[in-house]
């Protein structure tokens, strides 16, 4: 079986981690081979995480019969997969159908899914923060209508989806936690500090969304105070650049106030997860940095700027660590102390992680069962792709 994964990329490290997680799940739980469109990444990057390459983009109209036309031994020599060989489609960034991406070509992507569905290819939308859909209702509705199961990552997203579609479509909407939780981090880039280290992960979106200049400076001050609080507890401070030059610029500004801070940049998603999992405490406004830390039992202060952070804190039973990124003060030192000096949060986070992993496993089992039923139905109907 060949499963096309759409929405991931090798540039954003959260999207990269989702690609890795989807690939692992597809191989382990479905016994299938993950595939990604040719325009994403290099052949080396795809091979590194075990993906094959789809000759065209997601559009079904590109070479739909080429696999059968080539045939025979020649087909075995071609270093790509054709659209006619795809057995299922997994969307891993349903978040992109929300209002924040209203300027993106969402209808084109939704129509791709509609074409796959018409050919009998089942589509599954893996857990994401969905909505709101005030500006994007039409393409979002088409994407959901074309899918067999849509997984919301939190209850706000679940309600956004239910309000988007009619009663007949609501049965396909379910919930499941972030599916990158079980991905193992790579340890090759972990810094070695005998007394342990804490990690600061900035998010330039928090700075960009600041309502005033005072709020923007407040966010920077939050990171500076957190770094100094870590040092007061005898642990080194590591600034981890999770996404691009804008995040790096924030770290450079923090380092002017905290000269001893070590800055790490240029790591992929699994390497980032390795660093985060080895930390004593993490302060972050990057969603997948928080998932990477919390899923390894690391107490983390969540700088929430949308509902998905509140639900993430609920998932990992650590709501006391959800913090306003614009309001530093005594709370900064108190949160760092609570995370570093108390084993209770770590124990609760580990227990919550086990529960979330079990829910992830249930999701993959549900997909495997539905995919088996769908393929059997297609064969009985006369082999749509035969």
């Amino acid at each position: 079986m060949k499963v096309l994964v759409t929405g991931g990329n090798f540039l954003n490290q959260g999207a990269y981690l989702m690609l890795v997680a989807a690939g692992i799940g597809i191989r382990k739980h479905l016994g299938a081979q993950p595939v990604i469109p040719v325009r994403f990444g290099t052949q080396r990057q795809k091979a590194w995480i075990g993906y094959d390459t789809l000759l065209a983009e997601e559009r079904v109209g590109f070479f739909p019969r080429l696999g059968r036309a080539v045939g025979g031994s020649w087909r075995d020599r071609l270093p790509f997969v054709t659209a006619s060989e795809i057995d299922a489609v997994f969307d891993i960034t349903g978040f992109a159908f929300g209002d924040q991406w209203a300027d993106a070509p969402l209808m084109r992507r939704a129509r791709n899914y509609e074409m796959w569905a018409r050919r009998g290819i089942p589509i599954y939308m893996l857990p994401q923060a969905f909505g709101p859909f005030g500006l994007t209702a039409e393409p979002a509705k088409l994407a959901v209508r074309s899918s067999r199961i849509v997984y919301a990552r939190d209850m706000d997203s679940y309600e956004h989806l239910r309000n988007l579609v009619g009663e007949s479509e609501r049965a396909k909407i379910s919930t499941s936690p972030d599916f990158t939780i079980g991905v193992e981090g790579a340890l090759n880039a972990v810094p070695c500090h005998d007394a342990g280290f804490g990690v600061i992960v900035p998010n330039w979106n928090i700075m960009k969304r600041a309502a005033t200049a005072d709020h923007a400076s407040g966010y920077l001050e939050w990171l500076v105070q957190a770094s100094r609080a870590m040092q007061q507890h005898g642990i080194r401070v590591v600034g981890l650049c999770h996404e691009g030059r804008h995040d790096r610029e924030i770290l450079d500004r923090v380092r002017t106030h905290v000269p001893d801070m070590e800055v790490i940049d240029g790591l992929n998603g699994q390497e980032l997860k390795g660093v985060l999992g080895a930390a004593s405490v993490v302060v972050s406004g990057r969603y997948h940095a928080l998932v990477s830390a919390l899923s390894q039992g690391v107490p983390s202060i969540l700088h929430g700027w949308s509902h998905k952070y509140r639900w993430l804190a609920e998932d990992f039973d650590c709501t006391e660590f959800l913090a306003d990124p614009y309001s530093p003060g005594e709370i900064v030192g108190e949160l760092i102390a609570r995370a570093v000096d108390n084993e209770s949060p770590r124990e609760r986070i580990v227990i919550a992680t086990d529960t979330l992993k079990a829910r992830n496993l249930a999701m993959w089992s549900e997909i495997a069962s539905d995919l088996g039923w769908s393929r059997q139905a297609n064969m009985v109907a006369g082999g749509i792709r035969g």
Side-chain angles (χ1 to χ4, degrees), residues 266-335:
L267 304 184
N268 67 38
Q270 285 179 284
E271 292 168 331
L272 290 165
K273 186 163 187 176
V275 173
L276 291 161
S280 302
V281 59
V282 169
V283 175
S284 174
R286 283 285 175 191
Y287 183 88
H288 276 102
L290 288 164
V291 174
S292 291
L294 291 167
S295 64
Q296 297 178 90
V298 179
S300 304
I301 288 90
L302 300 85
H303 276 160
W305 52 274
S306 77
H307 71 268
K308 63 184 181 181
Y309 294 90
R310 174 169 55 85
W311 285 108
L312 185 64
E314 292 273 359
D315 281 345
F316 284 97
D317 196 13
C318 61
T319 54
E320 74 271 28
F321 290 118
L322 188 64
D324 181 350
Y326 303 119
S327 299
E330 292 183 4
I331 188 65
V332 179
E334 292 173 5
L335 287 175

Side-chain angles (χ1 to χ4, degrees), residues 336-351:
I336 295 296
R338 196 181 305 167
V340 173
D341 296 339
N342 191 344
E343 280 299 311
S344 176
R346 185 179 292 271
E347 292 171 0
R348 281 189 282 113
I349 292 167
V350 169
I351 292 171

Side-chain angles (χ1 to χ4, degrees), residues 130-133 152-165 170 173-175 307 311:
F130 286 92
F133 303 112
R153 206 167 54 192
D154 57 73
M155 291 309 297
D156 282 8
S157 299
Y158 179 76
E159 290 302 323
H160 283 314
L161 286 167
R162 284 180 59 84
N163 292 333
L164 175 72
V165 299
R170 289 175 181 170
I173 301 169
S174 187
T175 60
H307 71 268
W311 285 108

Side-chain angles (χ1 to χ4, degrees), residues 129-143:
F130 286 92
F133 303 112
L135 303 174
T136 60
E138 189 176 356
K141 193 179 299 184
L142 180 58

Side-chain angles (χ1 to χ4, degrees), residues 22 59 61-62 103 126 158 171 278 299 313 317 327-329 337 340 361 364 369 379:
R59 299 174 182 81
F62 284 9
D103 294 333
L126 297 192
Y158 179 76
D317 196 13
S327 299
V340 173
L361 183 60
W364 284 110
S369 177
M379 291 174 65

